[in-house]
Amino acid sequence: MKYFFSIAVLFMTLCSCAQSKKLRYAMSNAGLLEQTVFDTKDSATLEKLFAKTLTYEHSSGKVETREQALQGIIHNKSIYVPSIEPHPYGVIEKGDSIIVKKMFAATEKKADGTESILNLTIETVWIKENGDWKLIRRKATKNL
């Protein structure tokens, strides 16, 4: 019995380590996505993160394809000033995908000089594509 229990504990430890690594990777990608969309706007990073069949939904309800999202992000002249308060990530593994949710609060300073307060929940869904974790769906919703 002691031998069986030791093997079971070892197996559960190995499974939890593998799961943790996968979830940490998804959280890391979600953080990189946030930094790229709201700060650097680096097209090479976005190309690497986006799945071929990405759908990218804005808080307004507008849904974009991969190509539309790339162009929109790269050519966006807004500057985002994040709130000082950090928000934690929520991560759920569902089948072959990982869902990451995070609140995002910032002030958007537009090219025309106007400012908007953003208070969003951003949900991203990550899948394995050609051995790498890729963003397949992004949905932003306004927090009331």
Side-chain angles (χ1 to χ4, degrees):
M1 187 67 170
K2 194 184 253 186
Y3 182 72
F4 174 76
F5 181 72
S6 297
I7 290 174
V9 169
L10 177 63
F11 180 74
M12 289 188 311
T13 303
L14 290 174
C15 289
S16 68
C17 287
Q19 183 181 35
S20 311
K21 184 178 179 181
K22 184 165 63 168
L23 297 179
R24 280 194 311 263
Y25 190 80
M27 285 178 28
S28 174
N29 271 7
L32 180 58
L33 176 70
E34 182 179 316
Q35 178 185 7
T36 306
V37 169
F38 295 110
D39 186 21
T40 65
K41 300 174 182 19
D42 178 49
S43 61
T45 302
L46 294 171
E47 288 278 353
K48 181 179 157 193
L49 291 174
F50 285 2
K52 288 182 170 82
T53 58
L54 169 78
T55 57
Y56 193 93
E57 185 174 343
H58 296 269
S59 61
S60 65
K62 179 182 177 183
V63 179
E64 297 177 327
T65 65
R66 181 182 200 275
E67 292 73 24
Q68 292 168 328
L70 281 168
Q71 290 305 309
I73 295 165
I74 293 165
H75 293 99
N76 182 357
K77 301 294 184 205
S78 292
I79 296 171
Y80 297 89
V81 180
S83 69
I84 296 172
E85 181 183 333
H87 297 284
Y89 288 92
V91 184
I92 302 167
E93 187 174 354
K94 189 163 185 160
D96 292 339
S97 62
I98 298 174
I99 302 166
V100 179
K101 282 188 178 183
K102 183 170 191 275
M103 290 181 58
F104 178 77
T107 302
E108 178 184 12
K109 297 181 179 187
K110 298 178 184 170
D112 66 6
T114 61
E115 292 185 3
S116 298
I117 302 296
L118 300 177
N119 186 10
L120 309 171
T121 296
I122 299 175
E123 179 181 280
T124 55
V125 180
W126 302 85
I127 61 164
K128 275 276 190 157
E129 184 179 272
N130 298 326
D132 293 321
W133 285 99
K134 303 279 186 163
L135 179 68
I136 189 75
R137 183 172 187 272
R138 184 252 196 202
K139 180 179 183 176
T141 53
K142 294 177 185 173
N143 296 326
L144 301 174

